[in-house]
Amino acid sequence: MNSNPGFFDRTLANLRSAWRSIARSDAKLELSADLPEGELEALRECIRACLAGKGGEVSARGRAAELGEAYLGLSDTGKLNFFNLLVDEFSIDQSALQAALTAHVECTTQAERLAGESRLRSLLTPAYLRLLTQFNALPQGVKFLVDLRADLLRLRGDDARLTALDEQLCQRLESWFDIGFLELRRITWEAPAALLERLIHYEAVHAVSSWDDLKNRLAADRRCFAFFHPNMPDEPLIFVWVALLPEMAGSVQALLERGESPAQEAQTATTAIFYSISNTQVGLQGVSLGNFLIKRVVNALRAELPQLKTFATLSPIPGFARWLQAALDEDDSLLDGDSRELLASDGWADDAERAAQLEKVLKPLCARYLVSEKRGQRARDPVAHFHLSNGALIERINWLGDRSAKGMANAHGLMVNYLYELDEIDRHHERYSESFTVGTSREVRALADKG
Amino acid sequence: MNSNPGFFDRTLANLRSAWRSIARSDAKLELSADLPEGELEALRECIRACLAGKGGEVSARGRAAELGEAYLGLSDTGKLNFFNLLVDEFSIDQSALQAALTAHVECTTQAERLAGESRLRSLLTPAYLRLLTQFNALPQGVKFLVDLRADLLRLRGDDARLTALDEQLCQRLESWFDIGFLELRRITWEAPAALLERLIHYEAVHAVSSWDDLKNRLAADRRCFAFFHPNMPDEPLIFVWVALLPEMAGSVQALLERGESPAQEAQTATTAIFYSISNTQVGLQGVSLGNFLIKRVVNALRAELPQLKTFATLSPIPGFARWLQAALDEDDSLLDGDSRELLASDGWADDAERAAQLEKVLKPLCARYLVSEKRGQRARDPVAHFHLSNGALIERINWLGDRSAKGMANAHGLMVNYLYELDEIDRHHERYSESFTVGTSREVRALADKG
Amino acid sequence: MNSNPGFFDRTLANLRSAWRSIARSDAKLELSADLPEGELEALRECIRACLAGKGGEVSARGRAAELGEAYLGLSDTGKLNFFNLLVDEFSIDQSALQAALTAHVECTTQAERLAGESRLRSLLTPAYLRLLTQFNALPQGVKFLVDLRADLLRLRGDDARLTALDEQLCQRLESWFDIGFLELRRITWEAPAALLERLIHYEAVHAVSSWDDLKNRLAADRRCFAFFHPNMPDEPLIFVWVALLPEMAGSVQALLERGESPAQEAQTATTAIFYSISNTQVGLQGVSLGNFLIKRVVNALRAELPQLKTFATLSPIPGFARWLQAALDEDDSLLDGDSRELLASDGWADDAERAAQLEKVLKPLCARYLVSEKRGQRARDPVAHFHLSNGALIERINWLGDRSAKGMANAHGLMVNYLYELDEIDRHHERYSESFTVGTSREVRALADKG
Amino acid sequence: MNSNPGFFDRTLANLRSAWRSIARSDAKLELSADLPEGELEALRECIRACLAGKGGEVSARGRAAELGEAYLGLSDTGKLNFFNLLVDEFSIDQSALQAALTAHVECTTQAERLAGESRLRSLLTPAYLRLLTQFNALPQGVKFLVDLRADLLRLRGDDARLTALDEQLCQRLESWFDIGFLELRRITWEAPAALLERLIHYEAVHAVSSWDDLKNRLAADRRCFAFFHPNMPDEPLIFVWVALLPEMAGSVQALLERGESPAQEAQTATTAIFYSISNTQVGLQGVSLGNFLIKRVVNALRAELPQLKTFATLSPIPGFARWLQAALDEDDSLLDGDSRELLASDGWADDAERAAQLEKVLKPLCARYLVSEKRGQRARDPVAHFHLSNGALIERINWLGDRSAKGMANAHGLMVNYLYELDEIDRHHERYSESFTVGTSREVRALADKG
């Protein structure tokens, strides 16, 4: 449920108008959406002025606002032209770099070496990075850069120059979004509606169907936590939903479809189930936030509710059905003919008999997929890889745990619990990091051996 | 007035105890204050483990806490040994760098070139920088790094390796303390006492003599503004005191020594006098904060009090007396014998006649010192350089503007007003940046010509 | 749209459980829902102990919690029994009062008279008032008393004793909800969802159909203000919706049914239309809040948006259709036969021709109803009386201003603008207060004369 | 240490100017400070207009502001004239009251009786009370009324009419300052300096000598709590200082004179010593706040520090020396001649031998004074009465517990611990309330028997 289609357009318009008012009154950078060749010279000039720092910091900020406002008006074509201009003309001074490299190879004293290294570092920093960093001083400038990187990821293709630009920008964002600068906040039904609306919009795993559904997910026996950055106080960067339960959960529908007055009290729960984690900022792709989130939330929950004993996820298995199909395409003996037929039949999930038959054959295959199938050395399933990297183990496979259309299509309804054993997280993490050894419960191990 | 000598010791003890509780329970890094040779191996091992990221992020954080807590217990000797270990053993992999340099010189395709640049950037980043950045994830970790840099500045001497370490750390801090991350706050008598106590402690220009004195500086016709960083919410990074007056101020004592119920109302003031700016964090030396501060404060004041017309400082001239002495040592004809005798006489400042005689000769010399004397190309006086860089001009020399012992010793009681003309700031800034042209009022220019 | 039917039940359960934990551990007041005769003695004893203040304040608070928790479990029958017990047994000591009256009539000195008055005041204060006031010390105790009064209003019928109880309680609430204790707050889309949900629930004039509808009513060119009491921080006591427009509004549907991205900017609006005011607390009936609200909101709007020139309502006319029917029952010549037939015909509002015909005859009658029809001396229409008392005048009658089912049923779709002329509010208020003179625009006056 | 003599004058000037701006532009009530006879008519007229509610609520508020602003400018003479005008001309309508009384005595039906009671209540409410209540709607109106009552208490003498006025005002303030409306807040060194300055100003028991002294009283093993009213958010109404200690404290100097870095940790303390309670608002005399404060603070401390076992005071004995002198004047055999001489000698407290001799005779007399001496039925010592009423018992007499000049003058240096035994507070309170039975420890009982 995206409750408000005009959401971002309106925000964008506000931002443009705010920046226009910061831009110098004699600002004259007016660009067409597609940024045709003929307008490049004006842009070049503006960028040069920004980089020269001419006119002091106030002017610099005004010029950045002028440039930023122009960028916000560009089409994808225009943005690509803008990026190309950056990498072609505002990157590294190659001749200076070559000279420095040659000089450095020949340096003899320590002092020369250190000075040379410093000079190389400076020369290897592209001018465009200094340019982009200047947007930071504008209101919502950090969010602008995150969104600019989202544009870049969408448009860069496999262009090596643009990939290098992306790498530089990503590193800068990593430095700014260092875990030490993030704030963990619990989100409740007392949170601003504007923030809750964003959760509805950003939820990536189990779509929120209505405000009542949302309220249910924020009930007394539920929790929601998110990371925030001080410069983007209204934007949850990543958030996780938790259900507090008397036992491990196997079905996400059972979790979400509750009556109106859930009687369950948080104080008696023994088990915290993380049933959905969503990243919100495309432009922060590759900036690791999720692993810290789970650990910080576990700590927050233990501080509030010391009686909690078990911390686990109820997770989708997004790649199972696709892998199974590919595996069957190669070798259809993986499943006997009857099972293949059943799986192709309509409505088997609603038919206890057919479902029971399929359970027998699919659970072992799913366990095998999660435990033994790899992409390179990593677990093939991306969600599995995420939790295994974080130090979880594969605890339980849940038959028909997600009967939504998406759950059926991606994983034939199967779900999995990843278990975070507090005292073992580091050990599991180390083993997976070093040798990609997948930790499992005995039950899952046995299933995988059958699969 | 440092109202609390135990101030920092107590904070330090709190921090050590907080970090000790984060360190892993089996932490065994115990270092003697002077960090003798025999203990280096244990330290090396801990640093290696930190850098290897062994044991997952939680372990990593625990290990950083362990290391940080050990650092806090070191003496200056120990700290120097620690820094030396970093630059000697956890810096750049020279052989890998040399190989990459050689390879890069020979690369032919664009893709090779870009990959090579990326590799060089990575190899040129010293391991110690990754190590230091990890402290960031600890509570008060940013403040820790700022203070560590203060240690480094105190201890590095002119050692090129330590200077390189400092340069790297400074750049990282610059990225974190980018103006876009700072928050300007007005400080009033309603602020927490713990914060006001820090203002008393940190005031660097005109010492605060008591809480009553402080309250007076926060009266209805006074303002105080400071920059804060989200990760150091209790620490003003830099702060400025402003007096709102009906006219330009010439004497700082007149400004500070007021009766009990200052009748002056902010609403009728036409002139804002910035009479003191103090940096608080030695470890942020070289990270530019001051120029933004003045501009942002001018904007905040204009928004609150649109009737303000004049924005100027009442500034000390810290280097005048020293320069004058040096100049006289070279050529004593600068001052006639009578004047030299008067200047050496006791209590001349309290004697209207002697003072008037000296005024005639010292004011021109002071104007000449400010306008024409240089260190390299910059204005010789550091405060003059700061304000000229920011786009101010030298407006007026004030005779006996600061009769405190410090004011008499440093500048024979002279003070100066730097004027910030709103429409001219950028122009002045540009001219001074480009050609070190010093802007002055006609009056000061005329004085300087006589000096 | 009542988004959450279990809303109050859940709150009630929470309150009972909170109070149970405050009640003394040996609390033994257990009452059946209908409070049968046989349980009255236990209740009596508990009330007596409360009033005696036995056992100190902590005990007193525990006993009040015990009593309050028992009350919350009562059915309407039980509550009525409880109220009857209060007025029959915990009211005024009649014999003491009679004695004091007799004594007072005979007092001779001023001191005797003053002492007698004091004694009379004390004796005239019923014991039950002291009892009820004690609930105040409990968490949410003020809200409890407000809700208890709502029970009383519902159950008292025309019983003189219960009416006296209500009068006393009302006066006490009036003292607590004095305007000086209320806080005006603007409510935006940034407000807590839990608060916005209450607006949806409490909206009494134009029902909120969805969260998107609500968001629309909180857009950039809309305002919502509410009064809060410090002891009921989550409960808006009364709230008003305002639309900022370029001109006077005539149709509430046009106001509410807007496209997705309303372009209108608050900064260019000249007219503030108050289109809905809702009281939320039945138990505060008779405690005047509305008149202050409008005036305070007008002040807040003028401070924010000085360009606003016109402040008016777009108001329903809840009694028009009923009055018209009654008037026609008495004298059907008020409307010619054709018009009566048209009015009874289906769908006339959608038929331009029939609607136009009816407009000619109904608008004058409506103006006459508003201007000339009285209940006692007051304007017969309650909304008219409210705004006229506040100093507004009747500015314009709007044909088909509210085409909702409710609007058609109550007022044949007619709406009215009451105008608040800032400089004339006091004069209009005085004239209406003193002589019930109804202020109107010329246009409405002319219409009324025809009606 | 009153750190700021101009404190209240400045606040008063601000208030007057704020109210002047609310008063109607045509306000013409200008009164001389002493409010001479000739100006009474203008005042009368203004009061009448206020009471008539002429011109609507906005006018009413403006008129109250006009009247209030005039009041603030009056001298004591003027204020007394103002109060006299109120009680003489704006009190109760005696003829209406007499008529109602006569009618009421003769009423026969229940409905008549109830109506009569209501009418009597209304007639017994003096007009001046309605007038004073109107100030409530002004900014800082509640504080104004509290201060007006302080004026009244100071000026009323034993005038019965003014005492009646005071009684009415006190009851109204009691209703507003009901415990349910007060908020308990902990005050730390992070509190606004403006608030801490008030603590320094208001501290009534052990004067605060400096900001360092204050900071010491807010150290990690100290606590300060205060009650606040929502309409006076900057004014602590009553506050208490607590020391967290390993054992019962006997000397207030030992408590206050600590080194710079108190090592004591709150977490290891077993004993909370309440060593000073100060009321701040003279105008709230008779409105009980203190008993609730201690109980709420005990609860807050137990919630934070569950290991606390003992809650006691270290209290002054303000009336001991005066009582002893009076008792000796009547019967000098209470003390033998030697002791009387010693007590009169200079510096005995610094001479161990003399002090030891006096301890033997004074401690029993002090115990006797506290336990057995009465004023009416109450304990003679006011502090003893306060704590005994609250449910404390007399635990221990401390020799030379307060060696300040005040402590020596009032109680020959003796202090006392009142003990709050959590499970016994209610029982002790009841016994003292009912029969003025004084609870003591065995030790104190034995001493008292000797005294």
Side-chain angles (χ1 to χ4, degrees), chain B residues 4 10 189 197 215 260, chain D residues 4 10 189 191 197 215 260:
Chain B
N4 188 344
R10 237 184 285 173
W189 187 237
E197 188 185 24
K215 190 180 176 184
E260 250 152 31
Chain D
N4 189 344
R10 238 184 285 174
W189 187 238
E197 188 184 25
K215 190 179 177 186
E260 249 155 32

Side-chain angles (χ1 to χ4, degrees), chain D residues 88-273:
Chain D
D88 287 342
E89 306 187 19
F90 297 95
S91 182
I92 287 175
D93 179 339
Q94 288 298 336
S95 62
L97 178 63
Q98 287 299 331
L101 287 172
T102 312
H104 191 65
V105 172
E106 288 160 11
C107 75
T108 52
T109 69
Q110 188 190 51
E112 275 176 27
R113 180 175 60 73
L114 288 164
E117 286 167 4
S118 174
R119 186 162 168 67
L120 284 176
R121 269 192 289 265
S122 169
L123 286 167
L124 282 161
T125 304
Y128 56 64
L129 194 62
R130 281 194 293 124
L131 180 75
L132 294 177
T133 305
Q134 293 186 1
F135 290 114
N136 197 17
L138 297 176
Q140 302 204 53
V142 172
K143 173 68 174 153
F144 170 79
L145 284 174
V146 169
D147 288 347
L148 180 143
R149 181 162 178 250
D151 292 339
L152 181 57
L153 286 169
R154 191 177 68 248
L155 302 170
R156 73 171 185 203
D158 52 6
D159 185 312
R161 300 160 312 141
L162 297 182
T163 302
L165 165 56
D166 175 51
E167 189 187 296
Q168 291 285 295
L169 187 50
C170 180
Q171 280 173 18
R172 182 53 56 116
L173 292 175
E174 265 181 330
S175 155
W176 288 342
F177 285 83
D178 188 292
I179 183 67
F181 297 132
L182 303 186
E183 187 200 351
L184 183 72
R185 280 197 237 151
R186 182 175 163 199
I187 296 177
T188 70
W189 187 238
E190 293 292 326
L195 174 58
L196 296 183
E197 188 184 25
R198 282 168 196 256
L199 296 191
I200 294 175
H201 179 83
Y202 285 134
E203 169 62 28
V205 186
H206 304 293
V208 179
S209 63
S210 69
W211 283 82
D212 279 356
D213 181 6
L214 183 75
K215 190 179 177 186
N216 235 352
R217 297 185 194 200
L218 294 167
D221 60 344
R222 300 292 143 107
R223 292 290 181 278
C224 179
F225 290 91
F227 268 138
F228 290 83
H229 188 273
N231 278 52
M232 292 164 64
D234 304 327
E235 283 278 347
L237 302 178
I238 183 171
F239 56 95
V240 61
W241 297 98
V242 188
L244 304 172
L245 301 170
E247 61 192 356
M248 189 78 89
S251 156
V252 74
Q253 275 78 33
L255 212 75
L256 293 176
E257 285 156 19
R258 306 196 296 167
E260 249 155 32
S261 301
Q264 193 63 36
E265 280 301 319
Q267 274 65 31
T268 62
T270 59
T271 306
I273 297 293

